[in-house]
Amino acid sequence: GSCTWNADYDVVFSSGDPMNAPAVIPLTESSVPPGSSLTISMPFTTPLEGGSYRADFKLRNADGVLFSFKDPSQTFWVEIQVMTGKIDLVAMACSIRWSNASTELPCPGLPTDTSGFVYTDFAPVLETGAKDDEPALWLGVQQNPNGILRGTLPVMLIPDNAKFSTILGCSKDQESCDITLRLSYQEGSNPLVEIARWQKVHDGNLLIINQDLSMLSGKSVRIILQLEANGSPQGDIIHLLAPIIAP
């Protein structure tokens, strides 16, 4: 636009599910000239019931006129998915935000992508060479020394007495595989808290994971999975067989 935004401009709740957000907050405490950008931050409370929730907002100028960027009739919004009960990571694979150390990644990805990748497989061949009829996620790190792949789940309500369960293995043909898998959570904007970590090398065996999450019962949090190369990323491709969060 052509106007400078300042403390006389507000962000105003317009419609939808407010999720305990304030009805009005100042847009900025300083001046934002045309062509510049700013980040709008406000608190929300995650609903306790599962489902999709969306809060729509508009801007308001010093004269009390509501508008929304180039099209005054439109809104901008915050949308969240609250998940409860059994949480199937394969079913929601592309609702997870996947990234390497610096860049968001597409989902599904391709196993040839050197930036890192994730894709689903409904007839996976495991590290043991056995073909399984349960679905799996295949994860590959960015092809840099100590490269990573991070999956950030949407905010979800953790069921009582939940566990994170999966069977971890390296790709059958990748004998140089040597990775660490970290499981963490984030509550609101607080720092990440690590729950557990596992190291896996290609040894022809599978690692069965049943990690207790009871400390998170009834909390609305983001779960974060991070796959890390231990040195060289060559061959660092793993499967998570039937990964779920459930009581």
Side-chain angles (χ1 to χ4, degrees), residues 7-231:
D8 293 328
Y9 284 69
D10 296 318
V11 179
V12 180
F13 175 73
S14 175
S15 61
D17 300 292
M19 295 177 279
N20 288 335
V24 180
I25 63 167
L27 176 62
T28 179
E29 294 180 356
S30 57
S31 294
V32 182
S36 299
S37 62
L38 81 163
T39 299
I40 300 171
S41 298
M42 67 176 66
F44 292 90
T45 301
T46 306
L48 295 178
E49 294 186 7
S52 296
Y53 297 85
R54 170 169 156 164
D56 288 75
F57 297 87
K58 288 189 175 185
L59 301 181
R60 184 172 65 194
N61 66 19
D63 296 325
V65 177
L66 294 172
F67 68 100
S68 182
F69 309 117
K70 293 183 178 180
D71 187 344
S73 67
Q74 298 300 309
T75 61
F76 57 98
W77 61 88
V78 172
E79 188 168 16
I80 67 170
Q81 181 78 23
V82 179
M83 306 187 70
T84 59
K86 177 181 174 181
I87 300 163
D88 183 337
L89 274 64
V90 173
M92 64 175 296
C94 290
S95 295
I96 299 171
R97 189 172 75 249
W98 298 99
S99 62
N100 57 33
S102 60
T103 307
E104 279 202 32
L105 300 173
C107 180
L110 297 172
T112 55
D113 192 341
T114 58
S115 295
F117 62 84
V118 59
Y119 64 90
T120 58
D121 186 350
F122 292 90
V125 177
L126 308 182
E127 181 177 337
T128 58
K131 187 174 182 178
D132 206 282
D133 59 0
E134 296 235 54
L137 288 178
W138 285 101
L139 309 179
V141 300
Q142 185 179 21
Q143 292 299 293
N144 291 335
N146 302 309
I148 71 166
L149 176 75
R150 181 183 297 119
T152 304
L153 278 67
V155 174
M156 60 184 66
L157 184 67
I158 304 299
D160 289 342
N161 302 312
K163 293 182 179 180
F164 169 66
S165 302
T166 190
I167 298 176
L168 169 61
C170 292
S171 179
K172 179 177 73 71
D173 299 322
Q174 301 296 336
E175 295 185 359
S176 61
C177 173
D178 182 359
I179 61 90
T180 296
L181 178 68
R182 295 179 190 267
L183 177 69
S184 305
Y185 74 92
Q186 183 179 32
E187 193 169 9
S189 59
N190 294 329
L192 267 62
V193 177
E194 183 176 303
I195 300 169
R197 71 176 77 174
W198 303 270
Q199 186 173 358
K200 184 72 178 77
V201 298
H202 189 291
D203 57 6
N205 297 311
L206 301 175
L207 178 59
I208 298 174
I209 295 173
N210 284 298
Q211 177 60 46
D212 179 33
L213 299 179
S214 60
M215 79 291 286
L216 300 178
S217 294
K219 291 186 177 182
S220 294
V221 301
R222 295 184 189 277
I223 297 292
I224 297 97
L225 291 170
Q226 182 159 304
L227 182 66
E228 303 171 359
N230 294 321

